[in-house]
Amino acid sequence: MGKVVIDQERCKGCMLCVEFCPKGILAPAKEVNSKGYHPIECNDEDECTGCATCALMCPSVCIEVYR
Amino acid sequence: MREEIFLGGLGGQGVLLGGQMMARAGMDAGLNVSWFPIYSPEVRGGSTTCTIVITDGRVGSPICERPETMILMDPVAANTFAPQVAEGGLLVLNSSMIEQPPGHEDCETLWVPANDIAVEIGNERTVNMVMIGAWAGRTSALSIEGIAEALQHMLPERHHKHMPANIAALERGAEIGAESRQPGG
Amino acid sequence: MSETQRTREFITGNEATARGAIAGGCRYFFGYPITPQNKIPEYMSAHLPEVGGVFLQAESEVAAINMVYGASAAGARVMTTSSSPGISLMQEGLSYMIGSELPCVLVNMVRGGPGLGNIGPAQSDYWLATRGCGHGDGQCITLTPNSVQELHDFTARAFEIADRYRNPTMVLADAILANMMEPCDVLPPTEMPPADRPYAVGPHGQERERNIVNSLWVDFDEMEEVNLRIQERYRQAAEEITDWEEYGSDEPEVLVCAYGISSRVCESAVDEAGKAGVQARLVRPKTVFPFPSEPIAKWAEQAKCAVVVEASMGQFVEDVRLAVEGRCPVELVGHAGGNIPAVSEVVARILEMTS
Amino acid sequence: MTTDMKQVYAYPDALTEVEMRYCPGCTHGTAHRLVAEVIDELGIKDRTVTLATVGCSVYAYEYFDTDAVQCSHGRAPAVATGIKRVQPDTIVFAYQGDGDLASIGMAEIVHAAARGENFTVIFLNNAVYGMTQGQMAPTTLLGQKTTTSPRGRTAPEAGFPIRVCELLDTLDGPAFLAREALSTPPHVRNAKRAIKRAFETQVAGLGFSLVELLSTCPTWWGMTPLEAIKHVDEQMTKCYPIAVFRDRLAAQEGEQSAESAPGEGE
């Protein structure tokens, strides 16, 4: 059981976390943030294992992970 | 007093050290001095000159256009520089190497067989000391003792064994210089 | 500096400079060999370790000035020395130091140019020192000694000046001063008290906010603020350290201006002109940035004309003209390429101007 | 909401709160984070000086929460030398790109490495000049199009790419040299390991350490971030093989463990 907290304002929607999430539970939001990016959201929190691969790959340093 | 002295010779003849020694002796005698070298890009050989000013006033320019005294140790230096000696100035020339009297009509010339004397003394590297001794003997601008002491200060410890030969050379030169002051000398 | 412990020695300008630096508290030297100042790095390499200092021969003048930048950012009293082409290569680094408000001392033993030039004496880096020091609105505070003694004393003092105004300070001399020997009352190596440099980087624990040494200010107003601060320090320096010497007649017909080695020539020329019946007064800047405009303006008021003497083709004369402000005609005696003006030439010009 | 959970990935203490100005997917940010994590793990933040250089990472001094010096283009290794000669115990790292390090600053990096200066270089190689809008870098691949090699880099026109690690590996001075890629999770983990090794080498006083990080520039490569990391893996690593070229710390540790091993020796 894990949890990711993605800073929606800092996220630039680059998709690297989406690509490497082993559970495939990350995806861009429909809405844009104040800079015009579609920030990444977790769409199935129950599936998250807290493996932190998303944070490892995030160039914007906007993901915190709990387990 | 103000003495402007130009030394010229070949690299290896001790032109720079000789000039430094004269200036240092002037400093030790409580006078204002400067020493300024010009040498060709070759480190050894080639023309070497330096200018010394010794004065009880301000040194001002360390460069002299028409030096009152020129101590010239080889034919090239003699031909190149002797014409620049001041009117009424003094040329001290190394007669062991220089044949033709250079310079101009209105100057005095003191001939010093410096290489021959250096050979007699047994140390051919004392040519500069013979020449400088002759100038000192002639002008009495600096004492031989003062010059020798300055040399002692400037020579590295390992060369101090050559001091007796250098002092002998200074003294032999000084005798020639002093004799030349005699009427008809 | 311990004035009482001076010892009188007969040394070259280069050696006097190196020993002045150590007396001024310099403990770090970064440089690259270039004639006619090589005896300075040689002296420093031999003697800096004796006082706990560090000498490093850099791979280039570009690297040398950036090592100086780093050492200064770390709070050190640091110096580099070079000659004209090497100083050209340091321009960018100097600009960074000015922009980052860091002190350092550099010595320029100017040689004949432009280009590779030669190793003869020249004063043709006057603009490089007083207008140059890289891009942007910055200058080096510039001291102009004219004797071996002054090379020693000015270099020692340059460290304190650089610290006070947080700006590179240049000792501007030439190949003659570098190589000539004169008596010099040498200061002993100084024990440096730890300098108070709140801006320096380094270990700090939790004791202060982090320090950033930087000259990048994207915001125009911020950048202008830095510029205004730098200019305010220059204004302060003008008030506090502008220095010059005067020599000759109190009722001159001719004002003579020269700095450095040319001023030595002019001392003799003033004497000679006096003998020939023309009274002259020499004003000889010991600092050229800040520039002593006041005495020049004052004597220009009385004199019929000014003769400016420099071993360059009309650089220093511009500052004299700005100071004279049309009060009298200004004539240049200039030489270049390793030649320096002769006494006879200066005297002739003085006589010509007054006839 | 997370009171019953433990934080397993946090924002590094050694980064400030300032938001990095890099393009989406640019791995500069990844590199910054890894360096900051290493600084935190080694507990050296209060004695570290960051050297920012010229290029996209020019603002590194705003991002790293350490003392910092902004350096002129290519000269960070000389600045680092100056700092370390004054303060040998300060941890200094220079963050340089390929233009800064391998073009204009080649002399400084080679000589600092040759002297074995005890500081660390983080070398971002993305084979292009990002800040000045996509011109050719000394590390641009043959055939790679840039705004100053519009038909693709060719050797007769522009010479060959420079392999910095291999070049520095010919010198005796460096104590640690490694090349890693910021492309996939395993590579990123290795990259962090190498960065930590480089800093540990400096802390141990062993001399010059450098980590080359193969990085992306989605913007000037004309790729999505995902295409860009794939390009790193499939193309860049062919020209720039991933390797640890030198690790004197490991050699030293080997010696120590041999010395302390029971039953060894007499």
Side-chain angles (χ1 to χ4, degrees), chain A residues 1-3 5 9-16 19-20 35 37 50-67, chain D residues 1-2 5-12 15 17-27 29-30 33-34 183-185 188-189 225-226 229:
Chain A
M1 173 71 181
K3 182 175 177 62
V5 178
E9 273 306 303
R10 285 191 172 224
C11 179
K12 293 170 181 169
C14 75
M15 302 287 284
L16 292 189
E19 172 76 9
F20 291 104
K35 291 192 204 69
Y37 298 122
C51 73
T53 306
C54 51
L56 179 73
M57 295 306 292
C58 175
S60 300
V61 202
C62 65
I63 304 178
E64 291 182 344
V65 184
Y66 298 84
R67 192 159 56 202
Chain D
M1 68 178 172
T2 56
M5 291 177 140
K6 214 177 99 192
Q7 191 166 21
V8 292
Y9 221 107
Y11 192 82
L15 285 182
E17 290 298 320
V18 175
E19 200 171 326
M20 293 188 269
R21 296 166 174 81
Y22 300 114
C23 303
C26 167
T27 47
T30 316
R33 178 168 45 76
L34 298 181
S183 51
T184 62
V188 172
R189 283 192 193 97
L226 292 176
I229 57 169

Side-chain angles (χ1 to χ4, degrees), chain D residues 34-193:
Chain D
L34 298 181
V35 170
E37 285 172 11
V38 165
I39 289 172
D40 288 345
E41 287 168 22
L42 295 178
I44 53 175
K45 193 180 97 160
D46 293 334
R47 60 178 180 120
T48 294
V49 176
T50 301
L51 300 191
T53 61
V54 173
C56 289
S57 63
V58 68
Y59 289 114
Y61 61 85
E62 289 194 356
Y63 307 144
F64 287 100
D65 190 23
T66 65
D67 278 8
V69 180
Q70 212 292 314
C71 306
S72 65
H73 203 14
R75 316 304 169 207
V79 178
T81 299
I83 296 172
K84 289 292 288 201
R85 293 297 176 116
V86 177
Q87 298 178 2
D89 294 332
T90 295
I91 302 301
V92 175
F93 80 95
Y95 190 99
Q96 299 185 264
D98 41 42
D100 194 85
L101 180 142
S103 194
I104 193 168
M106 189 54 112
E108 284 74 16
I109 193 68
V110 167
H111 284 272
R115 289 191 300 266
E117 296 288 345
N118 189 34
F119 64 88
T120 300
V121 177
I122 304 299
F123 168 40
L124 267 278
N125 177 3
N126 63 4
V128 78
Y129 282 30
M131 186 171 77
T132 51
Q133 308 198 335
Q135 294 83 6
M136 189 181 68
T139 51
T140 293
L141 302 177
L142 288 177
Q144 184 180 339
K145 287 183 180 172
T146 71
T147 55
T148 51
S149 57
R151 293 168 297 281
R153 180 178 188 167
T154 67
E157 280 181 311
F160 296 91
I162 294 175
R163 294 185 185 91
V164 169
C165 281
E166 286 83 344
L167 197 148
L168 296 182
D169 196 28
T170 65
L171 303 170
D172 294 330
F176 184 83
L177 292 171
R179 180 185 292 123
E180 302 291 349
L182 298 175
S183 51
T184 62
H187 282 314
V188 172
R189 283 192 193 97
N190 286 340
K192 181 172 170 186
R193 208 165 290 143

Side-chain angles (χ1 to χ4, degrees), chain B residues 20 23 35 58 60-61 63 65, chain C residues 181 264 267-268 340 343-344:
Chain B
Q20 289 170 2
W35 170 91
R58 287 168 80 112
S61 175
I63 304 146
E65 293 164 71
Chain C
M181 293 176 86
R264 295 282 293 265
E267 270 184 30
S268 298
I340 72 162
V343 176
S344 60

Side-chain angles (χ1 to χ4, degrees), chain C residues 85-104:
Chain C
I87 301 288
S88 283
L89 280 170
M90 293 181 183
Q91 294 295 296
E92 183 198 33
L94 284 174
S95 178
Y96 270 69
M97 293 197 75
I98 293 167
S100 303
E101 302 169 81
L102 289 180
C104 76

Side-chain angles (χ1 to χ4, degrees), chain C residues 5-68:
Chain C
Q5 291 168 7
R6 287 182 185 258
T7 52
R8 194 167 183 80
E9 298 193 42
F10 185 59
I11 54 177
T12 64
N14 279 330
E15 184 176 337
T17 302
R19 296 175 70 173
I22 293 176
C26 175
R27 289 297 179 273
Y28 296 89
F29 182 100
F30 304 92
Y32 188 76
I34 182 171
T35 309
Q37 59 83 54
N38 291 327
K39 294 292 165 199
I40 302 176
E42 286 171 18
Y43 187 93
M44 294 305 245
S45 68
H47 297 286
L48 261 185
E50 293 168 0
V51 291
V54 173
F55 166 89
L56 178 61
Q57 181 167 318
E59 61 269 30
S60 69
E61 288 88 349
V62 174
I65 192 68
N66 282 283
M67 290 172 183
V68 168

Side-chain angles (χ1 to χ4, degrees), chain C residues 196-216:
Chain C
D196 179 27
R197 287 182 165 78
Y199 56 84
V201 298
H204 55 281
Q206 304 297 328
E207 287 154 28
R208 59 160 167 80
E209 293 286 290
R210 68 198 190 99
N211 279 338
I212 300 172
V213 172
N214 179 34
S215 61
L216 170 63

Side-chain angles (χ1 to χ4, degrees), chain B residues 65-88:
Chain B
E65 293 164 71
R66 302 290 303 271
E68 280 144 29
T69 302
M70 289 188 133
I71 300 174
L72 304 173
M73 304 195 201
D74 80 293
V76 174
N79 289 331
T80 311
F81 302 113
Q84 293 166 25
V85 71
E87 284 177 16

